[in-house]
Amino acid sequence: MTALTLLPFFPLFSFLVLIVLSKRLSWHIATAVALTGIGLSFIASIVVIQSLNVSASSGEGLTQSLWTWFMLGEHEVRFAFYVDQLTAVMIAVVSGVGFLIHGFAAAYMRDDENYSRFMAYMNLFICAMLLLVLAENLVLLYLGWEGVGLCSFLLIGFWYKDPDNAIAARKAFIVTRIGDTLLALGLFYLFMETNTLNIQEILAQQQTSPLSDEAAWWIALLLLGGAVGKSAQLPLHTWLPDAMAGPTPVSALIHAATMVTAGVYLIARMQGVYLLAPEILNLVAWVGCLTLLIAGIAALAQEDIKRVLAYSTMSQIGYMMLGLGAGANVAAVTHLMTHAFFKALLFLGAGAIILAVHHQQNIFKMGGLLKRMPLISILFLIGIAALIAFPGTSGFVSKEAIIAELWQSKTAGPVFWWLAVVGAFITSVYSFRLVFITFFGPYRAEHELLPQRHGLIVLPLVILALLALGGGYIPTHLEQVFSAPVASQHGPAWLHTVAIIAPLLGIGVAYLLYFPKTESSPAVPGTSSVYRFSHNGLGFDSTYNALVVKPFVWLANINRKDVIDLLVQLISWNTFTWHSAMKAAQSGRLRWYAATLGLGTALLLLGVIL
Amino acid sequence: MIFTNIIAVLMVSAFIALLVGKRFARTLPYIAAIGVLISFALLAHFASNHHDLFHQAMPLVSVPWISSLGIEYATFIDSLSFILVALTLILALVCILVSVSEISQYQNFYYFNLLAALAGIVGVFAAADLFLFFFFWEVMLLPMTALIAIWGHENRRYAAIKFFIFTQVSSLLMLVAIIVMAFIYQQQFGDISFNYFDWQQLNIAMPLQYWLMLGFFVAFAVKLPSFPFHTWLPDAHTQAPTAGSVLLAGVLLKTGAYGLMRFVLPLFEQAATHFAPVAIALGVISIVYGAVMAFAQTDFKRLVAYSSISHMGFITLALFSFSPIAYHGAIVTLVAHGLSSAALFAMAGMLYQRLHTRDLKKMGGLFASAPRMGGMLLAFVAGAFGMPGLLNFVGEFMTLTGTFTHHPIATAFAATAMIGSAIYGMYLFQQSFQGKPQENVKIPDLRAHEWLLCSLLFGLLLYLGLFPQALLMHFDSIYPSVADAQLIGGKL
């Protein structure tokens, strides 16, 4: 199938054109090249999904093999793609949402002197992300996995002259790399046990000769390690807020809609292995649950609009993880899709606001924007409504579906249900804190507002807003891929009502706490120590710094001269010292020789006598 | 005759370069390049006529040399030596390209040494007689020492002497082992022989076999280099001229790995099996220690030198795990590291020419003035930290996949180097090319011949990284006789 073969390579081609011709391209041509690449990918995705729906009523996927990559003993690792309904969702989201973000980015980055290079990196990222989700085997998935990591590094550090951006880029890369290494170990373990790294073969094997409990436990744990790194979950979540140093379209594309969901995709994809390790599924649920709470609390105390959204992303991915842990894979992946819509909308909306207020990101220096830029504000509010799962939005469909399955799940349960509902409450508090401070009250910025009306700014936002509203009803056929949910019947009747009311309650609380009561009262960030603590992400960064980073740097630096070399130098010092001692003895003076001869004889005699 | 011809061509061009003298100094790089290209053409011609012969060792020449001692001039070829000689010749071109603008003193003698060292290295890969092997082992050592001692940087004499003593002392151990082996052969078969194929029939009792194996192992572990014999490498690399570093990292280290593959594993099966836990520990320590040390360095070349130690640890780990997959991984790693470390040292040379420093603390923000150079540096750093799509990843992945089955814990420790290499790799790239530009430092971007060199190396890394079968298909059957069946059991 040509469309499937070419699907990930269109953006690669645009990347090559953009990076080679670079500054020789005008804005119009560079934009055309960049958008063509990803646009063709989107069209190809639609074609592939169409033919998948035609051919695959049986649940079989499409496979497209390109060439043999290398041999692992008897096993052939191929450069090959596999598409089923799960892949279909992913490629549609990556290329579709990616296309809209590229359009926005074209306007957002228009005046940057390295515009072509920026669009080149974005295209390369799309290529890597598509390879990740299309991969037929885990090695090719790992290629995409590392590829998106490298692109993320390049894009976070795009404005590399500021050392802070460079540090944030490095941090993102290295922290996720820790997860990547665990993932790699998981692959080694899988290969040892199953003698294959082809995903469908592995899953098929689990039907006939499943992994031993111990092997499944380890493999599921190691793959989870990879997932928490990429998806910014506890305990490897600390890179994501700093990653906001990148240009805003990057945050929308990589750190909200696509790359950070790779971990969710991985666990969903390997469901057959996870079902053999219920303890690890339970751990997945815990990871998701704790992350969504911790990130939600941290989001309550942020002043930077992008950091609020970053913590919110972590928290929403926590919901997806919680869903996976509870066995609600269809709901989790649906939430992945709707989250891509509304979070991309929120980030791009934030980008439009940031442009309008002269690259100010502090929400306490905004205010009153609803009256001054109503269109963007309303679009942003649609995103917020979806984020808090306001009834009728796409977020409502997917998030309620996750929460609904928690109570009865064997690997989750009522505790998780309660925590998830509390999380939903917190979500709506921090969301409306953001809304009330940014859009209401007096305008507090120092400069006049620069309203953004460029078509490429507004149009993607409008489309994303429509998706954020209705995207939950897009048919996905995910149930063909996943085993039926663990829970068959639902819990008590009041659960649903409580889950719907919790976010609404949150709006009320946020109104009481944060709504500017009078036109003149200034909104100020908190100053209490609790506020500072959650502002700093609940102290994870400083703990890791003290426990891991500093000891490592200290250890490396103290041994800079290489202790082993000191041993070698000891040998040479020894030789030189004896050499000079002996040389001193050979002075060539007869008297000295006679004296030492005499002294030696005397000592010898003394020795003999005694 | 193929290897003999190549050695002859290289030596002849070495002497022509010497005789040409200073008056026609400008022609020297061309003479050297022509010599290397002729060698390459010979090799390519041979390969095109012998597709099928790579699957087993093929004797080439056998002429009596010192017949009273059974010493012969004997060479042979198989896929391993073919690949390594091809790598040597490719990197020879890189050496010449980086020398053009760097070397201004005693140019004729410089090219003589460069070509003589290359001839010695080719000889090492070609020799089928262990005495001849030792002879070439020394032939490559002397010109290499001269390259460091004469054309090196500020502390060159210290580095050259250190390099010389380390290699010399360890190779003397090997010489003793070689002589003892020849006598054992005489005891068992009547005639004295240094021939590699003859020695494969030897049956040596255990404690003695162990000591002989150690004699070889130490010589090769110093060359590799493996912890704790590695400390000559950072000094030698830092002080050597660019071409010296390229040659050292690209191929000289590979002679150590080649020795392990060719001699230690097949000739001393039993001893190697007993020794494996120690060797694997040394490999893992090299991997981790090298990575941590690399991060601590502030000198561009020292950092890359320590990263080499880390990468070569993978070879020791792979070889002594007796896994066919890991063995293939080691071969891939040899080629991959040869190309990528050569590229990194070449980059170090280019930066030194522009900035007159190797100190990373004095660099920064160079991306603004030299984006192509920055892009290339990042590409090679990505290769070094095992970015899939480039060849290094395939080697690392195969090695660890293979070793995990037998040594999961050791593999887990070795895998931490994936984090370590990302840390020092990103540190290297960011410290030099990102961050605040040093006040008004503007450097020229890649010049034409530098661009050629970088794209050649990157092109090879990328092509082989996507199609490593082009390399690996020649190695289907050369997993050595090392007890695969009994050691590995049923698990392949």
Side-chain angles (χ1 to χ4, degrees), chain B residues 30 50 76 78 84 91 111 115 166 175 187 229 266 300 302 313 315 340 344 353-354 392 394 426 437 451 454:
Chain B
Y30 295 100
H50 295 85
F76 75 121
D78 68 356
L84 287 171
L91 294 184
Y111 284 101
L115 289 164
F166 262 84
L175 181 62
Q187 275 180 0
F229 310 114
F300 193 119
R302 257 189 123 74
I315 305 265
S340 71
L344 284 173
Q353 277 189 358
R354 288 164 168 81
N392 311 58
V394 179
M426 284 308 176
W451 184 239
C454 289

Side-chain angles (χ1 to χ4, degrees), chain A residues 188 191-192, chain B residues 323 400-408 411 491-492:
Chain A
F188 305 149
F191 184 76
M192 178 172 81
Chain B
S323 145
L400 294 177
T401 309
T403 55
F404 190 84
T405 312
H406 311 290
H407 307 282
T411 307
K491 222 160 206 177
L492 206 129

Side-chain angles (χ1 to χ4, degrees), chain A residues 384-536:
Chain A
I384 289 282
L387 170 63
I388 67 162
F390 196 82
T393 60
S394 64
F396 176 77
V397 176
S398 52
K399 199 191 279 184
E400 291 304 319
I402 292 176
I403 293 179
E405 296 204 33
L406 293 177
W407 190 279
Q408 293 284 326
S409 167
K410 288 196 189 81
T411 45
V415 177
F416 292 87
W417 186 90
W418 278 112
L419 293 175
V421 169
V422 171
F425 169 77
I426 296 176
T427 305
S428 104
V429 177
Y430 72 68
S431 301
F432 272 85
R433 169 180 178 269
L434 175 67
V435 168
F436 292 144
I437 294 172
T438 316
F439 295 105
F440 294 89
Y443 181 63
R444 292 178 294 269
E446 289 142 22
H447 306 282
E448 241 344 275
L449 204 64
L450 280 174
Q452 297 299 314
R453 294 209 186 82
H454 195 289
L456 282 175
I457 296 269
V458 179
L459 194 61
L461 287 177
V462 172
I463 298 172
L464 283 170
L466 292 176
L467 288 168
L469 286 173
Y473 302 101
I474 295 175
T476 54
H477 312 298
L478 282 166
E479 60 287 343
Q480 287 179 15
V481 182
F482 299 118
S483 336
V486 185
S488 47
Q489 79 273 42
H490 287 276
W494 52 270
L495 293 181
H496 200 53
T497 324
V498 173
I500 295 174
I501 290 173
L504 303 179
L505 202 62
I507 301 178
V509 172
Y511 180 83
L512 294 177
L513 287 174
Y514 302 110
F515 194 80
K517 300 299 173 308
T518 57
E519 268 301 301
S520 57
S521 74
V524 284
T527 47
S528 68
S529 56
V530 178
Y531 181 88
R532 297 311 315 164
F533 180 66
S534 50
H535 176 77
N536 292 329

Side-chain angles (χ1 to χ4, degrees), chain A residues 173-186:
Chain A
F173 191 78
I174 291 169
V175 174
T176 50
R177 185 86 176 177
I178 296 172
D180 300 355
T181 304
L182 295 174
L183 171 62
L185 285 171

